């Protein structure tokens, strides 16, 4: 049995505006992973994703089935024949919650299949395969999810450009709190597009400011000035509210984190549900986590953002 995995992700600054060409910053969540196990079997490729309620033979799966699409694209990329194998997928990531579960599953499956077939693929190639499947999930994805998940490093991302890996001078803690409200990124992105088409000048200004916040966040992280990062996250949340992608439940979580001593807090990902993140110093971590639970979070995770010391995996 061979296993490969991929992390979840959170966007620190710049979700939605990244779809319109502005920069964004995302970091992997190493402790929350999707896993794909593969072992020899008979009769073709059998894909089992119990968490998703899916089990099928590759040859019988429709074109738009995301796992099947990923497997077919990977085989095509390697010019390999369908193997006789059983591929099992598990994910610790909540689905439809802004943590990149779709891209994490894609990257884990691509990595497992590639390794089973005796090949190696770098982050760029794996990310490109996962991006094709993101289009099935999300319609018009920017590509930030598959990129940060395949690279497994904090990235400064501009749609269509190579991701930039940057220095994290001082590691910092984030709490991730799940509102328990499922939300499809595709719908949140479509909603923003409709409102932006109706009020173009206003939305262009919001997106521009979000891009400036992402640039400023990169500078503060590179300088190790984590206290200065907090207000940037707060302002980003205000702008996301103006875009219409927050909900009272998310605002409540954000407010509770700030009141309990978080340095900054915001929703993360598409919004309309899903998760919020809170930037915390280590002394306030437990108190902020408790405040988030009291304010309705159904799960709270913590992650330390740092460089892994490895060169970028292209
Ligand atoms: C989803 O994680 C982030 C969004 O900006 C959509 C995208 O970038 O494709 C909302």
């Amino acid at each position: 049995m061979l296993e490969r995995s991929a992390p979840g992700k959170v966007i620190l600054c710049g979700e939605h505006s990244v779809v319109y060409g502005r920069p964004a910053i995302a970091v992997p969540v190493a402790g929350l992973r999707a896993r794909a196990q593969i072992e020899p079997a008979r009769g073709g490729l059998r894909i089992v994703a119990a968490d998703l309620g899916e089990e099928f033979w590759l040859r019988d799966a429709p074109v738009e089935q995301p796992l099947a699409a990923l497997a077919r694209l990977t085989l095509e990329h390697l010019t390999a024949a369908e193997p006789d194998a059983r591929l099992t997928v598990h994910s610790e990531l909540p689905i439809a919650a802004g943590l990149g579960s779709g891209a994490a599953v894609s990257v884990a499956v691509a990595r497992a299949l590639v390794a089973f077939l005796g090949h190696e693929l770098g982050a760029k190639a794996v990310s490109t395969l996962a991006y094709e499947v993101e289009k099935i999930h999300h319609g018009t994805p920017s590509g930030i999810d598959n990129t940060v998940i395949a690279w497994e490093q904090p990235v400064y991302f501009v749609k269509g450009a190579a991701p930039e890996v940057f220095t994290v001078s001082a590691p910092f803690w984030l709490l991730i709190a799940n509102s328990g409200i499922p939300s499809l990124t595709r719908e949140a992105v479509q909603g923003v597009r409709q409102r932006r088409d109706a009020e173009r000048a206003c939305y262009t200004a919001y997106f521009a400011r979000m891009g400036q916040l992402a640039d400023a966040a990169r500078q503060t992280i590179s300088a190790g000035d984590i206290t200065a990062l907090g207000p940037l996250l707060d302002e980003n949340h205000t702008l996301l509210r103006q875009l219409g992608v927050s909900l009272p439940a998310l605002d409540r979580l954000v407010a509770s984190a700030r009141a309990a001593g978080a340095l900054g807090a915001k929703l993360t990902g598409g919004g309309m549900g899903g998760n919020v993140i809170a930037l915390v110093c280590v002394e306030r971590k437990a108190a902020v986590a408790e405040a988030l639970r009291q304010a309705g979070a159904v799960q709270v995770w913590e992650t330390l953002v740092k460089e892994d010391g490895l060169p970028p995996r292209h």
Side-chain angles (χ1 to χ4, degrees):
M1 163 101 66
L2 183 155
E3 182 179 291
R4 292 291 182 273
S5 68
K9 71 92 191 30
V10 290
I11 296 181
L12 275 189
C13 267
E15 51 274 270
H16 287 293
S17 43
V18 70
V19 174
Y20 299 89
R22 304 293 177 175
I25 293 194
V27 302
V29 181
L32 280 180
R33 305 190 76 83
R35 294 174 202 283
Q37 296 169 337
I38 185 162
E39 59 192 335
R42 296 226 178 106
L45 184 62
R46 180 96 179 146
I47 300 182
V48 183
D51 307 341
L52 305 172
E54 302 272 11
E55 175 161 358
F56 54 86
W57 294 105
L58 180 61
R59 61 177 169 274
D60 297 335
V63 178
E64 69 283 0
Q65 206 302 329
L67 290 169
L70 195 276
R72 290 189 184 113
L73 284 163
T74 307
L75 294 173
E76 209 174 287
H77 182 81
L78 301 174
T79 49
E82 180 180 331
D84 290 327
R86 181 181 172 86
L87 191 144
T88 312
V89 183
H90 296 286
S91 180
E92 299 155 2
L93 287 152
I95 296 165
L99 301 184
S101 89
V105 164
S106 290
V107 169
V109 167
R111 286 178 174 162
L113 202 48
V114 166
F116 184 77
L117 293 165
H119 291 263
E120 272 185 38
L121 281 186
K124 188 171 176 210
V126 170
S127 175
T128 303
L129 293 170
Y131 182 60
E132 290 305 311
V133 178
E134 287 293 283
K135 289 186 200 163
I136 301 177
H137 284 300
H138 299 323
T140 54
S142 64
I144 190 168
D145 285 17
N146 48 282
T147 300
V148 64
I149 286 169
W151 256 262
E152 289 202 42
Q153 301 205 42
V155 294
Y156 175 88
F157 178 87
V158 178
K159 188 175 168 180
E164 294 175 35
V165 175
F166 60 94
T167 314
V168 180
S169 294
F172 57 93
W173 286 100
L174 290 178
L175 294 173
I176 305 166
N178 189 0
S179 67
I181 303 168
S183 149
L184 292 175
T185 301
R186 172 192 283 272
E187 286 169 11
V189 169
Q190 274 170 3
V192 171
R193 189 175 299 280
Q194 279 162 5
R195 293 189 287 279
R196 171 256 196 184
D197 288 347
E199 290 178 81
R200 204 169 265 255
C202 186
Y203 273 66
T204 302
Y206 293 150
F207 296 150
R209 180 64 191 147
M210 288 167 147
Q212 287 170 350
L213 292 174
D215 281 330
R218 176 184 178 158
Q219 273 165 23
T220 61
I221 296 168
S222 296
D225 186 4
I226 296 312
T227 311
L229 180 59
L232 304 176
L233 303 188
D234 289 343
E235 188 181 344
N236 199 162
H237 185 72
T238 303
L239 286 158
L240 288 162
R241 288 187 65 188
Q242 284 165 332
L243 293 190
V245 294
S246 193
L247 292 179
L250 299 177
D251 294 340
R252 219 170 18 251
L253 290 173
V254 164
S256 75
R258 289 180 194 150
L263 299 167
K266 64 183 276 291
L267 72 82
T268 187
M272 305 304 294
N275 280 263
V276 307
I277 52 171
L279 175 68
V280 285
C281 60
V282 71
E283 296 79 19
R284 301 303 300 161
K285 190 154 59 75
V288 176
E290 184 50 30
L292 285 163
R293 284 190 202 97
Q294 294 290 331
V298 295
Q299 282 152 313
V300 180
W301 300 277
E302 58 182 51
T303 189
L304 184 66
V305 180
K306 58 179 172 38
E307 277 171 271
D308 65 7
L310 299 171
R313 292 176 218 109
H314 292 293

